[in-house]
Amino acid sequence: MIQETEYSLLRDGLLAWFAGNQRDLPWRRTYDPYHVWISEIMLQQTQMERGVEYFNRWMEKFPDVEALCSASEQEVLKAWEGLGYYSRARNLLKAAGKIVAEQGGRIPRDYDNLLSLPGIGPYTAAAVMSIAFNRPYPVVDANVERLFARLEDIDRPVKDRDVRQRMQKLAAVLLAGAAPRDMNQALMELGALVCTPKNPDCPHCPIQIHCLAFRAGTVADRPVPGSRQGKIDIDMACTIINVENKIFIQQRRYDDVWGGLWEFPGGRLKDGESPAAAAVRELHEETGFQAEKPEPFHTVTHFYTRYRVTLHSFVTGIRRGTNIEPKLTAALQYRWVTRQELDQYPFPAGHRRLVEKLQSAEAGPGERR
C-alpha cells in the first residue's frame, strides 16, 4: 500500500495536473447544483462527448429546476431520447417536482435529502455534494476504480466488497486537506484522460512515481476483471404500416421496459418463427390489423444492458376496407403521422434508427391500403 507520507505529494501532483489539464466542460463553468445533478445522471454509461451534446440541448430546453418541473413527460423523454435507461429521465422529472414543492426549487445541500429524491443513489448524492457544494464526500467511479487498482496494485476485482471499501477509504484520505471538488474531479479526470483502460499514458502521469503497478510492471493487468456475463440474443420483428402517406405508431404502456415511448407494433420471435411471420402475427395481436404483402425494410442491432437485440422491420399496408382505428392490446394510444412528424415523438433506440432510415429515404415505404 501507499505510505501515508506519500499522500501529500500525491495530492499536490494530482491537483497541479488537474489545474492545467482539466477539460472545459459546461457544468464546470459555474458548478450550478442543477447542472451538476443533470450531468451526473447523463454521464452514467454515456461517453463524455455525447454527454456534453445532450447536456447542452437539455439546458436549452430545461434551463433550471422550475423549467424541468413544468415540462411534460413526453417532452422529457424526447430530450432524453438516445441515452437509454428512460427511468432516469422519468426520475429527473419526479425529483424536480419534489424539489420545487418541498425545497423551493433549490437542490438540497444535505446528503440525506439528496438521497430521498427519485433516481439519486449514494454515488450521485456524493458527486453532487462534492462537485456542486465542495463538501468532503468521496466519489469513486469506474475511472477512479481503475486508477486506484493500479496505484495500489490491487490483485482482486474492483467490485469485491472489501476492495470497494478500501478504495472508498483511500478516496477519503486523499480528500483530507484538499478542496473536495478539485480532488474528486482530478481523480476522475486522470482516469479518463491518462490512466485509460487500454494503453494508459504512464510517461505523462503526474503520479507515476507513486504507482505500485507501474513499479511492478503490472499496469496492463490492473484492474483485475470480474466475472463477465455473456450477451443474451433477442430477435424481434415489427411492422411499419403506411396508409395514404401516414405511418402508424403506438405508445408503450408505462409498466413496460420502455414505458411511455412510441414504437412500431411488434415483438419477439417465437421458437422456429421467421421474422416476417412474427411481424404479421404481432401486428394482428396488438392492433387487429391484417398485414397486406409485408416486405423487408431494414434490420438493426442494438444493445441494452446484457441484451443484444436484433430488430427486423417490414413495411406493409393493411387490407382494403379495413377500419384504420386499431384495437389496441399492448399500447396506451396510437397516432397516424407523417414521416416528418415522427420527430415529435420519443422512440427506443432500435425504433429511432428505423425512423432515421425512413426519413433518409427519398421516398417512404410503399403506400398501400
Side-chain angles (χ1 to χ4, degrees), residues 71-84:
S72 70
E73 182 174 286
Q74 285 293 289
E75 289 176 312
V76 172
L77 290 175
K78 182 62 181 176
W80 195 266
E81 185 184 43
L83 285 175

Side-chain angles (χ1 to χ4, degrees), residues 140-154 158-159 167 187-200 211 213 218-219 221-224:
V140 181
D141 69 354
N143 289 316
V144 178
E145 287 177 346
R146 183 173 59 256
L147 176 63
F148 283 175
R150 290 169 175 164
L151 195 62
E152 296 219 320
D153 196 23
I154 298 173
V158 296
K159 299 304 181 184
M167 290 184 173
L187 289 167
M188 291 187 284
E189 198 83 331
L190 189 68
L193 300 182
V194 176
C195 196
T196 51
K198 296 181 180 179
N199 303 314
C211 182
T218 56
V219 170
D221 301 318
R222 305 288 181 262
V224 173

Side-chain angles (χ1 to χ4, degrees), residues 136-183:
Y137 285 82
V139 181
V140 181
D141 69 354
N143 289 316
V144 178
E145 287 177 346
R146 183 173 59 256
L147 176 63
F148 283 175
R150 290 169 175 164
L151 195 62
E152 296 219 320
D153 196 23
I154 298 173
D155 60 0
R156 296 174 58 191
V158 296
K159 299 304 181 184
D160 284 6
R161 182 177 179 181
D162 57 342
V163 173
R164 292 170 67 92
Q165 292 175 342
R166 177 177 171 182
M167 290 184 173
Q168 285 287 332
K169 290 179 181 178
L170 176 57
V173 168
L174 290 174
L175 288 183
R181 170 186 293 156
D182 292 339
M183 177 54 65

Side-chain angles (χ1 to χ4, degrees), residues 17-25 28 31 182 185 189 193:
W17 175 86
F18 182 66
N21 294 275
Q22 62 177 296
R23 288 170 289 186
D24 180 21
L25 302 175
R28 285 179 177 167
Y31 289 114
D182 292 339
Q185 289 188 106
E189 198 83 331
L193 300 182

